[in-house]
């Protein structure tokens, strides 16, 4: 799925390459490299029809949840195995089983999930496409197949959406795998307050950060394995925005093409998926 290190050691070894700077902090070829990587990402995402099973640990604020997820051609099914650091109570287990059964048997529930996922994918694609034009890019280091680039807002860029306004107010670094032309990590910090409607509709505070880490999990398949978002502000005057999210996924294994939702539900319930992932049975 589309997205949304240290130079000191490389400097000592002579592995870092610095290109000459040009006006506004842009380097010759840096933006072109980002465009090549973005095109590669979009092409790979369109061609990727693989499905995986994995462990997902998500923490939002003080609430945390650990799930086992199985992707199938019919949709993604999950089993929650831990809430706030503790195994599920019998009542929580029953509720989780009911949700799993409803998703596996009710097409309307799957359709709503699919619609929400498509919207998320469209937003992710739109943000990825903005990477070359929204920022001024500088190549800061090369080490083996990795190239590190720094970015800062391009004053000539005009964000087309609210999401783009927030995105384009970031500065940070991006690490790319230049062999496969894929994004390995993307880290940014909000350089200024971003408000909407003069602050009446919403405001995000300067200093908020995001960190997206990706790994290759299969042949030409890259996946987001860690997301860390820490952004604060308010919306519509009354509602506080305290986006403190840390999510990590691991233990990826390919899902067999023959896997159905019914099979996935059964294997999640009886512990087979946990065993396949090399995890302790819930």
């Amino acid at each position: 799925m589309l997205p949304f290190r240290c130079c000191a050691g490389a400097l000592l070894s002579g592995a870092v390459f610095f290109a000459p700077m040009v006006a506004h902090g842009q380097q010759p070829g840096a933006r072109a490299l980002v465009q090549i990587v973005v095109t590669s990402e979009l092409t790979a995402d369109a061609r990727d029809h693989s499905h995986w099973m994995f462990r997902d640990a998500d923490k939002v604020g003080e609430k945390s949840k650990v799930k086992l997820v199985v992707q199938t051609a019919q949709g993604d099914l999950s089993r929650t195995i831990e809430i706030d650091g503790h195994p599920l109570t019998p009542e929580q287990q029953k509720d989780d089983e009911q949700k799993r059964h409803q998703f596996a048997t009710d097409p309307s529930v799957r359709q709503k999930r699919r619609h929400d996922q498509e919207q998320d994918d469209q937003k992710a694609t739109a943000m990825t496409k903005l990477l070359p034009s929204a920022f001024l890019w500088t190549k800061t280091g090369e080490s083996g197949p990795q190239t590190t680039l720094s970015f800062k807002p391009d004053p000539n860029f005009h964000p087309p959406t609210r999401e783009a306004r927030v995105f384009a107010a970031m500065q940070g670094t991006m690490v790319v795998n230049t062999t496969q032309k894929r994004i390995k990590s993307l880290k940014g910090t909000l350089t200024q307050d971003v408000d909407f409607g003069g602050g009446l509709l919403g405001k995000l505070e300067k200093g908020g950060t995001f960190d997206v880490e990706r790994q290759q999990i299969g042949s030409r398949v890259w996946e987001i394995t860690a997301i860390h978002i820490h952004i604060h502000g308010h919306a519509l005057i009354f509602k506080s925005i305290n986006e403190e999210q840390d999510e990590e996924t691991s233990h990826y294994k390919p899902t067999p093409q023959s896997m159905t939702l019914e099979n996935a539900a059964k294997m999640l319930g009886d512990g087979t998926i946990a065993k396949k992932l090399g995890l302790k049975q819930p």
Side-chain angles (χ1 to χ4, degrees):
M1 192 61 60
L2 295 174
F4 233 159
R5 258 147 173 150
C6 170
C7 293
L11 264 172
L12 293 174
S13 65
V16 174
F17 166 77
F18 291 100
M21 300 293 291
V22 294
H24 306 300
Q26 185 88 289
Q27 283 183 346
R31 179 171 278 177
L33 173 60
V34 175
Q35 183 61 69
I36 290 171
V37 171
V38 165
T39 300
S40 177
E41 287 286 356
L42 295 173
T43 301
D45 194 58
R47 292 175 177 174
D48 180 20
H49 302 294
S50 62
H51 298 103
W52 301 82
M53 57 183 73
F54 54 91
R55 180 183 186 272
D56 184 314
D58 190 20
K59 182 179 180 182
V60 180
E62 298 301 317
K63 301 293 184 179
S64 65
K65 183 180 292 187
V66 178
K67 300 184 297 182
L68 303 183
V69 181
V70 180
Q71 299 175 335
T72 77
Q74 298 166 284
D76 301 351
L77 201 62
S78 66
R79 177 182 177 180
T80 302
I81 60 174
E82 188 179 293
I83 294 179
D84 296 335
H86 302 286
L88 274 62
T89 64
E91 293 78 12
Q92 290 172 328
Q93 288 183 17
K94 183 178 180 180
D95 181 61
D96 192 63
E97 289 171 3
Q98 289 177 340
K99 290 180 180 178
R100 201 157 55 244
H101 175 75
Q102 185 179 31
F103 183 82
T105 59
D106 190 338
S108 65
V109 175
R110 296 198 297 274
Q111 177 59 35
K112 182 181 185 305
R113 177 89 64 83
R114 187 179 301 112
H115 178 264
D116 292 344
Q117 184 63 56
E118 288 174 350
Q119 287 192 318
D120 289 343
D121 290 347
Q122 288 171 4
K123 289 180 179 179
T125 298
M127 292 299 102
T128 303
K129 288 181 177 179
L130 291 179
L131 279 172
S133 57
F135 305 104
L136 298 174
W137 292 91
T138 305
K139 186 186 293 186
T140 58
E142 289 184 339
S143 178
Q146 291 187 177
T147 296
T148 300
L149 303 107
S150 65
F151 62 89
K152 62 182 180 180
D154 186 339
N156 296 319
F157 175 72
H158 302 288
T161 64
R162 286 186 177 183
E163 292 91 347
R165 280 190 61 192
V166 178
F167 188 57
M170 294 279 183
Q171 71 175 21
T173 60
M174 183 170 75
V175 178
V176 301
N177 180 297
T178 49
T179 302
Q180 296 190 36
K181 305 297 187 293
R182 305 300 295 269
I183 297 173
K184 193 173 186 298
S185 69
L186 186 64
K187 303 179 183 182
T189 301
L190 199 59
T191 61
Q192 60 190 39
D193 292 344
V194 179
D195 51 61
F196 307 101
L200 295 178
L201 298 180
K203 178 179 179 179
L204 299 181
E205 298 173 1
K206 175 182 177 180
T209 63
F210 77 91
D211 180 352
V212 178
E213 302 288 339
R214 303 173 77 229
Q215 293 183 19
Q216 184 176 1
I217 62 170
S219 178
R220 310 295 295 184
V221 179
W222 288 66
E223 187 57 83
I224 294 174
T225 54
I227 297 176
H228 303 285
I229 301 173
H230 302 279
I231 295 177
H232 305 273
H234 69 268
L236 296 176
I237 301 177
F238 307 108
K239 181 180 178 183
S240 294
I241 300 171
N242 187 14
E243 190 63 36
E244 297 284 343
Q245 180 179 8
D246 297 278
E247 182 175 11
E248 295 185 359
T249 58
S250 61
H251 297 79
Y252 280 86
K253 300 290 183 183
T255 300
Q257 292 185 357
S258 59
M259 180 77 76
T260 64
L261 283 175
E262 291 76 12
N263 296 147
K266 180 179 182 301
M267 295 170 72
L268 282 166
D270 65 18
T272 302
I273 296 299
K275 184 177 180 180
K276 285 182 175 291
L277 298 180
L279 300 170
K280 186 173 79 171
Q281 300 239 358

